[in-house]
């Protein structure tokens, strides 16, 4: 079982939980799919796309639970998980605040 992660502003995640579906962030809408990262990719994703941002959440999903999941090349040809469609927030297996420590995000111990 592999866990895939979404980094997003906490208010956007709270809204998705209230509505019962996550339709993606502004960047996801722009690109036409929901960006996810593997455990090995999430730190670089945070550093590259969310530098210095506070009030973020790291949400984990089991790979096999995600409908519309596709693996596509991105940074340097590395394959990244993308979901075409929406994600049911009830599928989340973890939700952790990404706190800033000395300007860098501190990832929870349970996230690889």
């Amino acid at each position: 079982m592999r866990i895939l992660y979404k980094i997003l502003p906490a208010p956007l995640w709270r809204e998705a939980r209230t509505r019962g579906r996550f339709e993606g962030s502004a960047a996801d809408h722009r690109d036409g799919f929901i960006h996810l990262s593997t455990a090995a990719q999430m730190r670089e994703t945070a550093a590259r796309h969310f530098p210095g941002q506070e009030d973020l959440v790291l949400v984990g999903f089991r790979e096999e639970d995600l409908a519309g999941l596709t693996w596509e090349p991105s940074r340097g040809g590395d394959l990244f998980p993308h979901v075409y469609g929406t994600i049911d927030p009830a599928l989340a297996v973890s939700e952790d605040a990404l706190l800033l420590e000395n300007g860098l995000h501190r990832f929870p111990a349970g996230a690889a």
Side-chain angles (χ1 to χ4, degrees):
M1 171 183 76
R2 179 167 32 181
I3 303 298
L4 303 177
Y5 296 94
K6 177 66 180 170
I7 300 170
L8 69 157
L12 185 58
W13 182 242
R14 285 191 297 271
E15 176 186 321
R17 288 190 75 61
T18 298
R19 291 179 17 190
R21 71 184 177 285
F22 177 63
E23 298 175 343
S25 65
D28 298 328
H29 288 273
R30 179 192 67 227
D31 294 339
F33 52 81
I34 296 174
H35 293 267
L36 299 171
S37 298
T38 65
Q41 296 165 333
M42 67 184 173
R43 285 170 177 76
E44 185 179 347
T45 295
R48 184 179 290 248
H49 298 288
F50 302 94
Q53 287 189 36
E54 296 182 333
D55 202 19
L56 294 176
V57 64
L58 177 69
V59 183
F61 302 95
R62 284 188 296 266
E63 179 178 8
E64 61 269 19
D65 291 344
L66 297 171
L69 178 68
T70 304
W71 292 84
E72 298 176 306
S74 188
R75 282 182 229 142
D78 199 10
L79 293 178
F80 275 77
H82 298 150
V83 170
Y84 286 84
T86 63
I87 297 175
D88 181 346
L91 295 175
V93 295
S94 64
E95 297 178 27
D96 295 285
L98 278 185
L99 304 175
L100 278 178
E101 198 170 88
N102 298 323
L104 298 174
H105 291 102
R106 183 168 37 100
F107 286 82

